[in-house]
């Protein structure tokens, strides 16, 4: 104890220290960074003392009591894992078992592509990590390529490809007037992009708008992307969460696979398994053949190694435990449907309440849109009023996280929205 | 006028009808741009060229590749002295009792959720990690001059720190010791820094080339970044003495060189946590700035959970705060926020004085077993009369011994004795047991006497 005290603290006589007069900071010129627009909302919410406060900011699921949920299948999986296994390093590519099961979800339970081993896949740090790994891979092997990102999109997409130093462009997506898809402009952008561009597509439950192309529209998108030789990269963060049925939510991907695209996919278990903080996901790249897949996977590992060496094991074990046990998997599918249904129910309730209040505006988009988010159409000023006058927290682009809506607060929320829009 | 197709389609018309309608719309478009016609075969397998056709298979990671080769070997006497993960006397991986206990506590706490952590991770974990490495009484902590962010083990901490430096520091070159952990150069290069080396290991003495080190650091441009292994240098096991550290410190501060410590073995080297942190604490005590990457992979056996922390010690509190905000901008587009499980285990242990004590005891047991293996191997080689001076085995510290064997000898040992190690002659002492020391000693003896 005495040694500890003696060794830390000022044992060095300052005057004896060489270079003491050079002790100004190297970091004085570092500017304070702006707060993250999404995560900053929750910070502000937590600081608010009002009993009426509502958090419809960050996209994390809440039950009807506004509480975070740990799925029962996850609790059971954790019980089975604890005390049984060691904590050795995973391979650089992560848990093979977890990746195998994850590919089945995206590509199909009996996918020929999986059987033919044509998919290069590695465990990644949730959706963010999967996108970043792909962006780094894109930079390394297609350095002159551009990524086309929809407007709007999850804000971090821009950061990811920027930090990977991939040149980025945008394509039309959201149509503010109809609060739906700007399909014609989107197709135009696909046609006008230089051949061989990379397109970022949200597989389902577009974030932040909740506007998804119809099946028909996906087929056309696929056709035009194919005609231009573009690369389709899917960010699938909400499989199962959108419609309640993971197979249905993978439809866009399946269409592209049928059409023969060599796609890439970022998958996340943050929302659909409620594993947010565990950071579990998967990056996959469909290749021409098995040999290519081996090469691509090895290169993805080369990018992961200098970033974090190998991915965290705990979350991956939870996923593989659940997905490889038929009963647990069934339970998971049930629990995902419950979450998705609750959200769909809240959409109906919110729209219903607004219409009952006699709002002059159309709120059809609330039930047209799908997934966790609703792009309300509220202006930043209206959002500020909601926060300042009603203690309702959302991102300033008017994105409402439906997961934060409950039977307890939906009337209050509808009322407040009505007040600032009437 | 091109019809707007904005609402989700109804399910009333058949799929074929909708297909036809889509085709008609395209053909009727007023502003047609001539395009190459593409065979419209939606169900054909299109095995055309991938944009990644040119990607070639990467070579195996030299360190992790050793275990891959080991796993393939059917020999019953095979020995894995490759990757630096601790093994018990029985050759088994070890999960510390105190870690199991912490795990159970977390499992039984029904109020725990799996929400996203803040970008910088668990606040308590960060605070306790800083205290662990800098000392609870560190003035840097007391004056709020330290920012600590949770990262993915040592690798992740190094990467985040290096990316920050590449963006905000005026010098973009980092000097790394020769040799160093194989992954260091790639971490820094991919982060945007250029990498140079300084002399460190002396093959003739199998000890520190102190003169060379001082000369090389003395001739680096002012302000350069210098990577320092806090203790238990990987791969050589050769550490500077206390006096040598003091000289290094003085030289570095006189040239305003920025220290970036990699602390992967605190407590694992000597068996004492404070002892193994001395080099870092000397630098912090002089009031200057430094970066520290901390890992809990080895000392808490949390390898696969990827638990670590990056600390930046600044000269002022407001500066530390600004630095933290910029670290967040590095982290968010890399992985958004760190994994919760491992850091929760660490925080649980560090904040409970009983569990902390239990941990120090289990940690010392691991370090002591390794020190014992060193002694046994040294004695075994002496008993065999193996030519050469093998005292470096007991002089070096930490998980690894740089045997001094060359790659031909290493290859021989793998081929004839099924002993797996990295080709630079580095062996992981953690992979040895009393039972296997004789086999290794035989192999070294054979390699030295039969291969030069």
């Amino acid at each position: 104890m005495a040694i500890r005290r003696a060794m830390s603290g000022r044992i060095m006589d300052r005057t004896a220290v060489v270079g003491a007069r050079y002790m100004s900071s190297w970091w004085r010129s570092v500017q304070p960074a702006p707060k993250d627009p999404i995560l900053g909302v929750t910070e502000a919410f937590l600081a608010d003392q009002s009993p009426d406060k509502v958090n419809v900011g960050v996209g994390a699921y809440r039950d009807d009591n506004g509480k975070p949920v740990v799925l029962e299948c996850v609790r059971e999986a954790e019980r089975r894992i604890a005390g049984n296994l060691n904590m050795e390093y995973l391979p650089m590519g992560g848990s093979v078992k977890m990746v195998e099961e994850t590919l089945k979800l995206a590509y199909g339970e009996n996918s020929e592509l999986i059987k033919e081993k044509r998919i290069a896949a590695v465990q990644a740090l949730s959706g963010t990590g999967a996108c970043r790994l792909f962006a780094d891979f894109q930079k390394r092997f297609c350095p002159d390529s551009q990524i086309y990102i929809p407007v709007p999109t999850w804000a971090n997409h821009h950061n990811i490809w920027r930090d990977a130093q991939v040149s980025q462009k945008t394509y039309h997506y959201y149509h503010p007037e109809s609060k739906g898809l700007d399909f014609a402009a989107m197709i135009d952008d696909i046609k006008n992009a230089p051949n061989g561009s990379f397109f970022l597509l949200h597989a389902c439950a577009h974030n932040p708008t909740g506007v998804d192309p119809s099946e028909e529209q996906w087929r056309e998108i696929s056709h035009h992307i194919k005609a231009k030789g573009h690369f389709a990269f899917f960010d699938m963060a909400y499989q199962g969460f959108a419609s309640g049925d993971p197979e249905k939510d993978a439809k866009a991907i399946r269409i592209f696979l049928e059409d023969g695209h060599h796609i890439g996919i970022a998958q996340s278990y943050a929302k659909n398994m409620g594993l947010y903080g565990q950071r579990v996901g998967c990056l996959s790249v469909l290749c021409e053949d098995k040999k290519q897949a081996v090469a691509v996977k090895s290169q993805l590992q080369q990018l992961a190694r200098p970033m974090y060496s190998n991915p965290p094991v705990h979350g991956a074990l939870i996923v593989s435990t659940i997905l490889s046990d038929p009963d647990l998997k069934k339970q998971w599918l049930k629990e995902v449907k419950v979450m998705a249904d609750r959200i769909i129910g809240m959409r109906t309730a919110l729209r219903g309440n607004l219409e009952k209040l006699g709002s002059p505006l159309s709120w059809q988009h609330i039930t047209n849109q799908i997934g966790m988010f609703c792009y309300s159409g509220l202006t930043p000023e209206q959002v500020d009023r909601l926060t300042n006058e009603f203690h309702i927290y959302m991102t300033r682009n008017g994105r409402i996280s439906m997961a934060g809506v409950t039977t307890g607060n939906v009337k209050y929320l509808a009322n407040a929205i009505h007040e600032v829009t009437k | 006028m091109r019809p707007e197709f904005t609402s989700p389609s109804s399910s009333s018309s058949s799929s074929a009808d909708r297909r036809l309608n889509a085709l008609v719309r395209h053909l009727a478009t007023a502003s047609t741009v001539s395009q190459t016609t593409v065979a419209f075969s939606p169900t054909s397998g299109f095995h055309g060229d991938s944009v990644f056709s040119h990607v070639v298979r990467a070579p195996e990671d030299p360190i992790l590749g050793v275990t891959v080769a080991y796993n393939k070997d059917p020999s019953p006497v095979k020995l894995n002295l490759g990757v630096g993960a601790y093994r018990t006397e029985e050759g088994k991986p070890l999960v510390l009792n105190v870690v199991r206990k912490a795990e159970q506590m977390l499992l039984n706490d029904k109020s725990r959720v799996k929400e996203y952590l803040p970008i910088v991770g668990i606040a308590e974990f960060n605070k306790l990690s800083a205290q662990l490495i800098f000392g609870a009484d560190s003035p840097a902590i007391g004056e709020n001059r330290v920012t600590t962010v949770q990262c993915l083990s040592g690798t992740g901490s190094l990467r985040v720190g290096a990316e920050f430096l590449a963006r905000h520091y005026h010098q973009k070159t980092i000097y790394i010791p020769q040799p160093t952990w194989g992954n260091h150069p790639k971490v820094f290069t991919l982060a945007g820094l250029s990498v140079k080396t300084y002399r460190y290991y002396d093959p003739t003495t199998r000890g520190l080339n102190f003169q060379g080190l001082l000369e090389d650091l003395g001739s680096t441009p002012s302000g350069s970044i210098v990577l320092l292994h806090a203790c238990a240098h990987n791969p050589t096991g050769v550490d500077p003495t206390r006096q040598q550290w003091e000289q290094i410190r003085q030289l570095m501060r006189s040239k305003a060189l920025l220290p970036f410590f990699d602390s992967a073995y605190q407590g694992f080297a000597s068996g004492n946590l404070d002892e193994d942190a001395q080099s870092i604490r000397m630098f912090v005590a002089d009031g200057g700035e430094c970066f520290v990457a901390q890992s809990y992979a080895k000392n808490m056996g949390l390898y696969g959970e990827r638990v670590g922390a990056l600390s930046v010690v600044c000269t002022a509190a407001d500066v530390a705060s600004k630095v933290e905000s910029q670290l967040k901008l590095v982290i968010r587009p890399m992985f958004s926020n760190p994994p919760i499980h491992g850091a929760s285990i660490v925080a649980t242990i560090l904040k409970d004085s009983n569990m902390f004590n239990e941990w120090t005891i289990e940690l010392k047991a691991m370090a002591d077993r390794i020190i014992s293996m060193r002694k046994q191997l040294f004695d075994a080689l002496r008993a065999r009369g193996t030519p050469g001076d093998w005292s470096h085995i007991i002089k070096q510290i930490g998980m690894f011994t740089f045997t001094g064997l060359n790659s031909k000898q290493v290859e021989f040992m793998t081929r004839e004795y099924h002993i797996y190690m990295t080709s630079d002659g580095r062996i992981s002492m953690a992979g040895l047991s009393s039972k296997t020391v004789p086999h290794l000693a035989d192999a070294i003896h054979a390699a030295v006497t039969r291969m030069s």
Side-chain angles (χ1 to χ4, degrees), chain A residues 25 31 85 87 220 288 299, chain B residues 26 53 56 100 289 304 326:
Chain A
S25 174
Q31 292 307 305
L85 298 146
M87 289 164 171
E220 284 197 53
E288 293 165 359
Q299 294 294 350
Chain B
H26 289 307
S53 303
V56 293
R100 284 278 179 243
E289 300 184 315
Q326 290 292 345

Side-chain angles (χ1 to χ4, degrees), chain A residues 37-282:
Chain A
I38 302 172
L39 303 176
V41 169
T42 296
E43 277 182 36
F45 168 81
L46 290 169
D48 188 327
Q49 303 293 329
S50 162
D52 298 325
K53 64 180 182 177
V54 174
N55 186 0
V56 283
V58 77
Y61 182 79
R62 296 283 177 270
D63 64 13
D64 201 46
N65 296 314
K67 295 274 175 286
V69 171
V70 178
L71 302 188
E72 274 313 310
C73 62
V74 168
R75 287 218 187 276
E76 175 57 28
E78 281 203 301
R79 274 192 287 271
R80 294 186 196 180
I81 294 166
N84 282 338
L85 298 146
N86 59 54
M87 289 164 171
E88 294 293 283
Y89 291 128
L90 283 176
M92 280 182 284
S95 158
V96 170
K97 206 153 155 233
M98 190 277 280
V99 168
E100 267 171 21
E101 292 296 332
T102 303
L103 292 182
K104 286 192 210 161
L105 283 178
Y107 293 84
E109 184 79 29
N110 299 307
S111 165
E112 285 303 312
L113 302 166
I114 296 180
K115 295 199 183 106
E116 292 164 19
K117 299 191 191 284
R118 282 179 53 197
I119 307 171
V122 295
Q123 180 184 338
L125 292 152
S126 211
T128 307
C131 284
R132 175 59 180 268
L133 216 50
F134 182 78
D136 281 350
F137 178 73
Q138 180 186 350
K139 176 64 182 178
R140 180 169 277 190
F141 291 101
C142 298
D144 301 324
S145 64
Q146 291 174 327
I147 182 87
Y148 279 75
I149 296 181
V151 178
T153 193
W154 178 49
N156 206 24
H157 278 143
H158 292 288
N159 300 333
I160 290 169
W161 268 270
R162 180 204 62 220
D163 273 16
Q165 294 172 32
V166 173
S167 149
Q168 45 185 280
K169 289 228 155 62
T170 58
Y171 64 89
H172 288 84
Y173 190 83
Y174 182 66
H175 194 244
E177 289 74 32
S178 63
K179 300 199 181 65
L181 183 64
D182 194 350
F183 187 61
M186 177 180 178
I187 295 293
D188 268 351
D189 286 343
I190 291 173
K191 287 192 212 170
N192 292 330
N195 290 357
S197 299
F198 284 60
F199 271 76
L200 171 68
L201 303 161
H202 295 226
C204 65
H206 181 272
N207 176 3
T209 69
V211 170
D212 283 352
S214 66
E215 186 175 321
E216 230 2 84
Q217 289 173 320
W218 273 122
R219 291 193 190 281
E220 284 197 53
I221 294 167
S222 168
H223 163 68
H224 288 287
I225 285 184
K226 187 168 168 180
K228 294 287 295 183
H230 294 327
F231 185 96
F233 184 75
F234 285 94
D235 186 353
M236 183 155 68
Y238 299 98
Q239 187 182 13
F241 215 98
S243 68
D245 176 1
E247 280 301 293
K248 203 151 163 238
D249 290 346
K251 190 63 188 172
I253 286 176
R254 305 290 169 81
I255 287 170
F256 273 67
L257 291 174
E258 276 170 33
D259 286 354
H261 294 268
H262 294 126
I263 61 176
I265 309 178
Q267 285 170 271
S268 166
Y269 286 102
K271 287 85 174 172
N272 63 10
M273 237 187 238
L275 294 177
Y276 307 93
Q278 311 283 170
R279 320 310 293 128
V280 204
C282 176

